[in-house]
Amino acid sequence: MSNEHPAHARAASGPGGSARPDPAAYRLRTRALWCGLAVVPATVLVVFLSLTTPEGSGCALKGDCGTTPGWVYLATLAVAAGSWIHALSTPDGPAPASSREAAFWTMIGAECVFLLLVLVYFGG
C-alpha cells in the first residue's frame, strides 16, 4: 500500500490524471519560448551591425534611411506575437499538435522578415 496521498498522485501525473506530455511537445514549446524571446537581442544586434556600415551611419546622421512604412514592421511583429502565443498555449497531447508546429515556423518566418526589414531600413 502506498503512503502517497491520492491528490498528490493526480497532481504529479498532470491535470485530469493524464500522463506527462510527449517530450517532442515539450521541446517544441521550449524552442518557441526561446525563439520568441530572442527577437529582441537579435534586433539590437542587427541595428548595431547596420550602424557600423557607411549606409547605416548615414541613416543615423543624415536621415537617409529606408522608406518602409511603419505598419509593415507592426504587422510582422503582430504575426510573430500571435504565432508565439499559439505555439506556447496549445494544449499538450500525445505528440506536438500540427498547429503548434505551424505556429512555430510562422513565428520564425515573421521574425526573420522583421529583422530583414530592419536591416533594409538602415541599409538605405
Side-chain angles (χ1 to χ4, degrees), residues 45-114:
L45 181 65
V46 165
V47 168
F48 177 75
L49 291 177
S50 296
L51 291 176
T52 61
T53 64
E55 295 85 7
S57 59
C59 171
L61 297 175
K62 300 176 191 170
D64 299 335
C65 301
T67 58
T68 307
W71 65 267
V72 177
Y73 297 98
L74 293 177
T76 57
L77 286 177
V79 169
S83 300
W84 189 45
I85 290 169
H86 181 74
L88 292 177
S89 64
T90 303
D92 287 327
S98 59
S99 65
R100 178 185 281 174
E101 192 166 342
F104 173 74
W105 288 109
T106 302
M107 177 190 67
I108 295 292
E111 289 177 356
C112 288
V113 168
F114 174 75

Side-chain angles (χ1 to χ4, degrees), residues 6-25:
H8 292 155
R10 280 194 308 270
S13 64
S18 64
R20 291 191 177 265
D22 187 48

